[in-house]
Amino acid sequence: MTGSWVMWDERYTAYDFGPGHPMHPSRLDLTHRLSSALGLLDHPDVEVRPVREATAAELLSVHTPELVEAVRAASADPGSATGRHGVGTEDTPAFWGMHEASSLAVGGTVEACEAVWDGRAGRAVNIAGGLHHAMPEASSGFCVYNDIAVGIHRLLDLGARRVLYLDLDVHHGDGVERCFWNDDRVMTLSVHETGRALFPGTGFPGDTGGAKAQDTAVNVALPPGTGDEGWLRAYRAVVPPVVAAFGPDVVVSQHGCDAHFSDPLAHLTVTVDAMAVAAGWVRELAEEAAGGRWVALGGGGYELVDVVPRAWTHLVGVVTGRPVDPSTPVPESWRQHVLEVYGREAPALMGDRGGRPIRYGEWSDGYDPEDPVDSAIMATRRAVFPGWGLDPYFD
């Protein structure tokens, strides 16, 4: 049986916007350490794979030469960055080695996509990937290059007929949607907090794709305050039916964990437990719809110690076939490392809910038009379901 790949390189932590920036590289290091401490990487069918920088041709398959040149120039001299092409802004500051560090994240995703497509890996995960805001012509929202779009482009070049991109970050996956807005080979499906309340201010139900790709952009825009029950209900009510209708050859998913209740940059109230459930559902989705071919990526998430390492370790566990029970104690060695390096107590358990079940309900149980989450779900179903021959009320 084909095993799983975990893409990792210590140089991932060189993707560093500096002290005080929300997207600190410690979250990658802590995730890898926690996955290791739980023994998820110590199995014959799990390969921890080194990565390479993306080539110029790979970057230019999505990005303009002007953006790549601006990143290269800022990489060599951060002080020269002026904000052109989104490089050197408050959100996406310039730093020494910016091009090389960003290219490494892209290269990890491209290699993961290639391995899953050609069968060397059944599934693969790259926690340094998931940089979904970068546009073809500009860096944006902490994302220098768009590794996701480059990886999907590579899958299409290799012969994939249909690629599902599923984005579970609290922010709309705007950069990937832009790249494939008019390409009916790619479905971009984003479950996020409404753009009326959150960056980037896009991703509304009526945004359904270009003239040549109608109904291939699917946006579920949830109200602030949505918690586990509503978040999982939204997934169940939209993702499985529309994906089954689309019929992908491969699934690429982004697992930003900034929907968490303690994330400082957003307003949803999801727990690590629900994120672990969703990761398991994505694996099932890939098995049912795409022959098991699945590339899982990281993304946002800015509670660096309590949330990101646990959420993405759950993802690593699901990808490698060893899901972690949320009641599992966090290894004492990892907690001691956090105390020594960061001077704070780490969570004691791998979950937040203390074993309490999540009662999300199925859409078939009934639709409540007075409920804000159900209203958001129905807006998406009405916008795209008919184009796929689905009934917004009953399918």
Side-chain angles (χ1 to χ4, degrees):
M1 179 178 177
T2 304
S4 305
W5 281 18
V6 177
M7 315 306 294
W8 179 249
D9 193 303
E10 296 292 342
R11 295 175 295 165
Y12 273 163
T13 58
Y15 190 100
D16 188 354
F17 292 121
H21 193 282
M23 194 161 168
H24 195 273
S26 58
R27 62 201 199 119
L28 300 175
D29 174 69
L30 287 173
T31 298
H32 190 72
R33 287 176 181 272
L34 182 55
S35 297
S36 299
L38 283 167
L40 300 179
L41 310 180
D42 301 328
H43 299 278
D45 60 344
V46 177
E47 293 189 55
V48 179
R49 299 288 301 191
V51 300
R52 59 166 176 82
E53 292 180 18
T55 65
E58 287 167 344
L59 294 174
L60 293 171
S61 70
V62 165
H63 294 295
T64 63
E66 292 78 11
L67 171 60
V68 175
E69 181 52 40
V71 175
R72 285 185 181 274
S75 184
D77 180 9
S80 69
T82 63
R84 288 192 66 213
H85 304 289
V87 180
T89 63
E90 183 178 354
D91 274 357
T92 313
F95 60 92
W96 294 104
M98 184 180 200
H99 170 76
E100 291 75 15
S102 303
S103 298
L104 201 65
V106 178
T109 295
V110 171
E111 292 220 318
C113 288
E114 291 174 341
V116 166
W117 183 254
D118 67 25
R120 284 175 293 149
R123 299 169 299 278
V125 56
N126 181 27
I127 60 170
L131 305 173
H132 61 168
H133 292 310
M135 297 290 176
E137 73 287 353
S139 301
S140 177
F142 311 164
C143 305
V144 179
Y145 295 134
N146 196 316
D147 66 290
I148 308 162
V150 176
I152 292 173
H153 193 278
R154 181 63 179 145
L155 286 167
L156 296 172
D157 279 350
L158 289 171
R161 296 175 305 105
R162 290 193 166 187
V163 179
L164 170 69
Y165 171 61
L166 175 59
D167 191 314
L168 299 179
D169 196 288
V170 78
H171 302 91
H172 174 229
D174 58 337
V176 186
E177 183 183 271
R178 167 84 72 83
C179 290
F180 300 105
W181 179 254
N182 216 27
D183 189 334
D184 65 0
R185 298 173 297 172
V186 180
M187 172 175 281
T188 58
L189 202 171
S190 181
V191 181
H192 51 267
E193 183 177 347
T194 175
R196 291 189 176 88
L198 194 65
F199 176 90
T202 54
F204 298 102
D207 302 328
T208 59
K212 297 180 181 178
Q214 293 182 11
D215 303 314
T216 60
V218 182
N219 286 296
V220 185
L222 296 171
T226 300
D228 288 355
E229 290 77 7
W231 192 69
L232 292 179
R233 179 173 173 81
Y235 180 106
R236 295 287 291 178
V238 174
V239 176
V242 81
V243 170
F246 177 65
D249 300 318
V250 57
V251 174
V252 178
S253 59
Q254 197 264 26
H255 296 261
C257 48
D258 37 10
H260 194 271
F261 63 80
S262 65
D263 194 274
L265 300 187
H267 318 99
L268 299 192
T269 58
V270 178
T271 65
V272 166
D273 309 58
M275 294 174 188
V277 170
W281 287 352
V282 178
R283 174 171 171 162
E284 292 173 6
L285 185 78
E287 290 171 348
E288 294 169 2
R293 289 180 289 272
W294 177 31
V295 177
L297 306 171
Y302 308 103
E303 208 308 314
L304 305 177
V305 173
D306 289 358
V307 177
V308 180
R310 289 188 300 153
W312 287 352
T313 295
H314 279 293
L315 178 65
V316 171
V318 171
V319 170
T320 58
R322 293 166 180 86
V324 178
D325 191 304
S327 66
T328 301
V330 173
E332 189 57 37
S333 61
W334 188 85
R335 300 184 75 233
Q336 187 62 33
H337 173 79
V338 168
L339 183 63
E340 292 173 358
V341 175
Y342 299 96
R344 57 186 280 187
E345 292 288 336
L349 300 176
M350 286 297 293
D352 297 321
R353 297 181 59 92
R356 291 179 294 113
I358 307 172
R359 306 190 187 283
Y360 55 86
E362 296 287 353
W363 190 255
S364 58
D365 296 337
Y367 154 58
D368 179 1
E370 300 299 320
D371 180 81
V373 172
D374 272 16
S375 293
I377 293 169
M378 180 56 89
T380 301
R381 289 172 64 100
R382 283 178 175 150
V384 297
F385 272 35
W388 293 104
L390 300 170
D391 187 306
Y393 287 90
F394 300 111
D395 284 325

